[in-house]
């Protein structure tokens, strides 16, 4: 099983990245920091005769890499009660690749399993649940099996270590991924 992590945090070494590191500790997984890629916002051309125009950015290369993995872990902090802008731009651009027969985006994505990590500064674990539901709908729309989610609480970098339930679930996932 090949595991690819798509990290949408706008900062390095924050709480989201800490949870990712715990989940993939001693596991062969590749992490893609979306902030390292230039992903332009989508220009919606779904209903035009010519379709989407090519965009000079990193989105297509990143999608090609994503298609190489069996397990996809999406990790994002909760920003204004939704995913980060980096993650949103990445997922919005999938619309462009739904039409691409050469990539085989949709048939390939239907073979994947998805996991979601969300960190939030809000101690109430219900606050990120609409975002979890949003990812469930995204996965359902493209036929990806949405397996599980992990919610962590931490605002300032390093505070995630105080969330014992998130750390315990990260260890559980680590054991699952080691045994895949």
């Amino acid at each position: 099983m090949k595991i690819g992590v798509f990290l949408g945090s706008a900062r390095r070494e924050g709480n989201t990245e800490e949870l990712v590191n715990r989940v993939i500790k001693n596991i062969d997984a590749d992490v893609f920091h979306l902030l390292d890629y230039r992903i332009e916002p989508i220009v919606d051309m779904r209903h035009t005769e010519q379709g989407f125009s090519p965009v000079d950015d990193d989105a297509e290369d990143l999608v090609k890499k994503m298609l190489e993995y069996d397990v996809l872990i999406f990790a994002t902090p909760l920003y204004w009660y939704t995913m980060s802008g980096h993650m949103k731009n990445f997922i919005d651009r999938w619309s462009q690749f739904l039409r691409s027969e050469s990539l085989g985006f949709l048939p390939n994505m239907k073979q994947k399993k998805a996991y979601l990590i969300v960190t939030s500064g809000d101690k109430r674990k219900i606050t990120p649940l609409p975002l979890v539901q949003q990812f469930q709908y995204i996965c359902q729309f493209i036929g990806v099996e949405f397996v599980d989610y992990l919610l962590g609480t931490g605002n300032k970098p390093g505070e995630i270590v105080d969330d014992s339930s998130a750390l315990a679930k990260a260890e559980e996932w680590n054991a699952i991924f080691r045994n895949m």
Side-chain angles (χ1 to χ4, degrees):
M1 278 280 153
K2 287 184 69 175
I3 300 172
V5 180
F6 297 85
L7 178 57
S9 183
R11 70 175 164 212
R12 295 204 179 274
E13 300 178 10
N15 294 307
T16 308
E17 189 169 353
E18 177 65 27
L19 276 183
V20 164
N21 290 338
R22 288 172 183 257
V23 165
I24 63 169
K25 183 178 180 179
N26 299 319
I27 292 176
D28 186 22
D30 295 315
V31 179
F32 300 92
H33 293 264
L34 297 181
L35 65 101
D36 292 339
Y37 297 86
R38 190 170 62 83
I39 303 171
E40 295 294 327
I42 192 161
V43 176
D44 188 353
M45 299 180 75
R46 286 176 295 160
H47 304 292
T48 62
E49 196 172 305
Q50 71 272 18
F52 288 96
S53 299
V55 179
D56 184 24
D57 69 359
D58 299 320
E60 185 171 345
D61 289 337
L62 193 56
V63 164
K64 285 177 181 176
K65 289 177 185 178
M66 181 176 68
L67 294 176
E68 297 173 9
Y69 296 91
D70 306 299
V71 174
L72 307 173
I73 301 172
F74 298 99
T76 181
L78 188 72
Y79 288 158
W80 291 101
Y81 305 97
T82 190
M83 67 186 81
S84 71
H86 296 289
M87 185 69 72
K88 182 73 168 106
N89 278 347
F90 180 53
I91 291 174
D92 279 351
R93 288 293 297 286
W94 294 0
S95 295
Q96 180 177 350
F97 304 113
L98 284 170
R99 286 185 142 187
S100 172
E101 291 181 23
S102 64
L103 283 179
F105 180 82
L106 201 54
N108 278 299
M109 289 299 283
K110 289 181 178 185
Q111 318 262 328
K112 315 277 181 218
K113 294 182 184 298
Y115 293 77
L116 174 65
I117 297 172
V118 181
T119 57
S120 167
D122 194 333
K123 294 189 186 320
R124 297 171 298 166
K125 294 285 185 171
I126 64 166
T127 305
L129 291 179
L131 176 56
V132 171
Q133 188 173 41
Q134 183 180 8
F135 266 90
Q136 289 171 326
Y137 289 144
I138 290 166
C139 289
Q140 181 181 26
F141 181 77
I142 59 175
V144 172
E145 180 185 348
F146 184 88
V147 180
D148 199 4
Y149 63 92
L150 189 167
L151 304 178
T153 301
N155 190 19
K156 294 178 185 173
E159 287 183 350
I160 197 69
V161 298
D162 298 326
D163 186 343
S164 58
S165 64
L167 299 181
K169 187 153 187 179
E171 284 185 32
E172 288 174 28
W173 280 18
N174 181 267
I176 290 167
F177 295 141
R178 275 195 322 256
N179 292 317
M180 285 186 158

